[in-house]
Amino acid sequence: MKKRLSQKLLVLSFLITASLSSIAQSVSYTNKNALPEIGVVASDAISLDKEMIVGDAVMRQMRGQSPLIADPVLDEYLQDLGNRLVIHAENAKFPFRFFWVDNDAINAFAFFGGHIGVHTGLMRRANTESELASVLAHEISHVTQRHIARSMQAQQRSSPLAIASLIGGVLIAMANPQAGMAAMQAGQAASVQMQIDYTRSNEQEADRIGIAMLSRAGFDANGAADFFSIMAEEYRNVSRPPARLLTHPLTESRIADARSRADDYPSRFVPVSKQFELAKARIMARYSFEPDYAVEYFTAQVDKKAYRVREASLYALALAYMRTEEYDKAQEIIMGELLTKDSGNLFYLDAATDIYIAKGEPLKAVEMLSPFVENSPRNQVLALNQANAMISASRYDDAISLLKDFLLVNDEYQIAHQLMSEAYQKAKRFSQMHQSKAEVYALYGAYTRAVDELQYAYNFAKDDDHLQKQRIRARIKQFRDQEERLQRL
């Protein structure tokens, strides 16, 4: 499985390299002046518009070829946390998108267009929300200071293809370090330390700006130094450090500098975040641990009271029971205790929905969620859980109506398109089913497959439904144009 993933990621590296090669060719070779330390420069290396296009293309490839997590509950938490930081960022030129990578390495990364990925292993090691937020603030700073574009401009004397290969390899290394190193070697990269945010000056700048952002957003400014210390201690005696330390060299002076910078900001007590603890518990119970071990681990944690937030440990235990198909035990925890004290908690509502569906009682889930969906019809956790419950209850038209409304403002959420496709299939509306499948393929950058699905949709459309056929033809043209635009990059 790992070998196939690495091969796919190397293909992705080639696509990124091809894109960035032509971008690098547009770098101006006439200006040999030193690069100023202002993050909004480097527009001659790559414009903001092109940066967003490349970022979107990379994200589409990563969806299909990297171990990304599609989890509305975790997505909601991470995006909310990231947004709390972004509103305090300087030079934020575009909306940021935060996503999870199912990988136990301590790593996070940023790339073109405000895309920031966080490995589940990093979340598992973080002790506080301020520590996690410090990593996000650091990566946000890399984006707002345009360190990738500045790195490209700083190397303008190098071969454009070498620069493209270098950056393409680094982007792959973000999600899979081994595949990325292979890509960089193929591109004849001379040194890992020359990559993007690996340079000392970029790291210092991201640390400085990130800690300031962290404080302005109301977190503990010591979060960065605390997390640095955790990493340094965990890997003190390891011969080969993890990807995070390779890409973000960690020294005693850097930890001391982070402590010193934190002293410049007001000291504040930040209470334990229940949402952080629930998100961490979900990652451990669903993604990090095997089912039987998760039951054993969280049972012991609850019995020994070895937790910061009791509800988080109970929630994790319920998720573990669900994975071992002990739904009655999970229901007793979720419905019998947690929801009675916090009826609107999205983590609990999501688990309760899955329990009702697993026990063949989807209408109970629909009834439970209805008042919350009415108040927040476009919340991803509520809308997608309600649509899933409606499909399970054979209320296909209701599910389709809800998903259409949700997709008006969340048109790149693949789970919504997948649920829409399922609802259309079960309702025997095959033309629309193929159209929804086409949208899923497009989100993966598989435009040829998307066009194939639309052609199937065209064949299933009724002969007298000229409007639908016209829409399908228009969408086919859009997908072909997008594929050509990507090739032109």
Side-chain angles (χ1 to χ4, degrees):
M1 180 67 180
K2 290 183 179 179
K3 182 178 180 181
R4 291 199 301 272
L5 176 60
S6 296
Q7 292 172 339
K8 290 180 178 179
L9 285 169
L10 285 172
V11 172
L12 171 57
S13 175
F14 174 79
L15 294 174
I16 298 170
T17 298
S19 298
L20 293 175
S21 175
S22 62
I23 294 172
Q25 290 173 359
S26 68
V27 175
S28 171
Y29 289 86
T30 59
N31 180 13
K32 304 304 181 185
N33 296 328
L35 189 69
E37 291 299 313
I38 301 174
V40 294
V41 300
S43 59
D44 57 336
I46 176 172
S47 67
L48 288 171
D49 288 342
K50 186 166 285 189
E51 184 173 333
M52 293 187 68
I53 292 172
V54 174
D56 176 73
V58 174
M59 191 67 223
R60 288 176 188 272
Q61 295 291 331
M62 290 190 72
R63 286 193 192 104
Q65 300 175 359
S66 300
L68 305 190
I69 290 177
D71 187 319
V73 180
L74 290 175
D75 289 346
E76 179 85 5
Y77 169 74
L78 186 63
Q79 189 67 45
D80 178 69
L81 179 61
N83 288 342
R84 287 160 60 189
L85 292 161
V86 170
I87 61 175
H88 295 282
E90 299 176 357
N91 301 323
K93 302 296 184 181
F94 28 64
F96 280 70
R97 296 180 181 177
F98 301 85
F99 60 94
W100 296 98
V101 179
D102 189 6
N103 190 310
D104 199 49
I106 302 179
N107 199 20
F109 56 91
F111 61 89
F112 289 123
H115 295 86
I116 295 179
V118 179
H119 286 216
T120 53
L122 187 149
M123 179 65 161
R124 190 164 70 85
R125 270 77 160 205
N127 288 322
T128 67
E129 191 169 56
S130 290
E131 291 176 6
L132 173 61
S134 75
V135 177
L136 296 185
H138 181 96
E139 299 302 333
I140 291 169
S141 299
H142 278 313
V143 175
T144 59
Q145 300 308 109
R146 304 200 67 205
H147 283 159
I148 297 179
R150 289 165 62 182
S151 178
M152 291 168 60
Q153 191 174 44
Q155 299 181 63
Q156 55 186 304
R157 293 188 181 184
S158 301
S159 163
L161 182 59
I163 296 173
S165 299
L166 193 68
I167 297 176
V170 172
L171 290 176
I172 301 307
M174 295 167 178
N176 187 304
Q178 290 182 341
M181 289 301 293
M184 284 187 283
Q185 290 170 0
Q188 297 182 344
S191 170
V192 175
Q193 294 302 319
M194 293 175 62
Q195 310 311 313
I196 309 175
D197 60 338
Y198 304 3
T199 64
R200 185 182 302 274
S201 61
N202 284 355
E203 282 303 288
Q204 290 175 340
E205 186 174 48
D207 285 349
R208 172 177 59 81
I209 295 173
I211 291 172
M213 186 193 312
L214 190 68
S215 180
R216 288 197 300 270
F219 295 98
D220 181 3
N222 285 294
D226 290 344
F227 194 71
F228 287 161
S229 298
I230 291 173
M231 294 172 61
E233 182 62 30
E234 182 162 350
Y235 293 99
R236 189 176 301 279
N237 298 317
V238 176
S239 59
R240 179 173 176 81
R244 183 70 185 175
L245 296 191
L246 287 174
T247 58
H248 298 70
L250 189 58
T251 62
E252 294 298 328
S253 62
R254 188 178 179 193
I255 298 175
D257 185 59
R259 293 275 183 215
S260 177
R261 292 189 186 281
D263 290 341
D264 294 336
Y265 299 96
S267 176
R268 60 166 55 93
F269 170 74
V270 180
V272 174
S273 168
K274 180 179 177 181
Q275 295 298 98
F276 168 81
E277 295 294 337
L278 288 171
K280 182 175 179 177
R282 185 178 181 89
I283 283 176
M284 295 171 69
R286 292 194 63 176
Y287 302 101
S288 297
F289 296 162
E290 292 298 321
D292 290 337
Y293 177 74
V295 170
E296 180 182 345
Y297 179 90
F298 289 108
T299 297
Q301 195 175 79
V302 171
D303 291 344
K304 296 178 181 179
K305 299 182 180 180
Y307 45 70
R308 290 189 183 88
V309 177
R310 180 174 181 270
E311 291 87 346
S313 293
L314 285 173
Y315 170 69
L317 180 57
L319 295 182
Y321 280 139
M322 291 167 65
R323 293 185 67 193
T324 57
E325 299 184 358
E326 298 177 86
Y327 296 110
D328 289 338
K329 291 182 178 180
Q331 184 171 11
E332 183 179 352
I333 294 172
I334 297 295
M335 285 80 141
E337 180 167 354
L338 297 180
L339 273 175
T340 58
K341 298 178 181 178
D342 191 357
S343 61
N345 189 294
L346 297 178
F347 287 89
Y348 306 158
L349 290 172
D350 171 83
T353 301
D354 289 345
I355 291 170
Y356 278 134
I357 292 175
K359 296 185 69 173
E361 301 173 324
L363 284 176
K364 290 186 178 180
V366 173
E367 182 181 357
M368 172 190 68
L369 293 170
S370 291
F372 300 104
V373 175
E374 185 176 350
N375 290 330
S376 303
R378 292 176 179 173
N379 175 279
Q380 60 186 349
V381 178
L382 297 173
L384 298 180
N385 271 286
Q386 183 72 309
N388 190 29
M390 287 175 169
I391 293 171
S392 297
S394 301
R395 291 175 52 176
Y396 309 126
D397 289 342
D398 291 337
I400 291 168
S401 177
L402 180 62
L403 289 168
K404 281 184 176 179
D405 186 55
F406 175 80
L407 285 168
L408 288 175
V409 292
N410 299 276
D411 62 333
E412 291 194 358
Y413 211 105
Q414 66 265 36
I415 293 179
H417 288 292
Q418 289 166 347
L419 287 172
M420 183 75 90
S421 178
E422 181 182 356
Y424 279 133
Q425 181 181 21
K426 291 185 175 180
K428 301 187 184 303
R429 297 168 62 176
F430 299 114
S431 180
Q432 291 92 338
M433 177 197 73
H434 285 294
Q435 291 178 60
S436 294
K437 284 187 174 181
E439 298 301 326
V440 174
Y441 282 124
L443 289 175
Y444 296 151
Y447 291 111
T448 300
R449 296 289 300 274
V451 169
D452 288 343
E453 289 294 334
L454 288 177
Q455 289 173 339
Y456 292 140
Y458 189 89
N459 293 334
F460 274 106
K462 296 180 181 179
D463 292 336
D464 59 350
D465 195 344
H466 302 296
L467 180 58
Q468 182 177 183
K469 287 188 172 184
Q470 185 176 356
R471 288 173 177 168
I472 294 172
R473 287 195 297 267
R475 195 61 174 147
I476 288 175
K477 185 179 185 305
Q478 287 178 335
F479 285 157
R480 285 174 173 165
D481 288 345
Q482 289 175 352
E483 187 171 28
E484 289 177 4
R485 182 179 64 178
L486 178 61
Q487 292 173 348
R488 287 196 303 269
L489 283 175

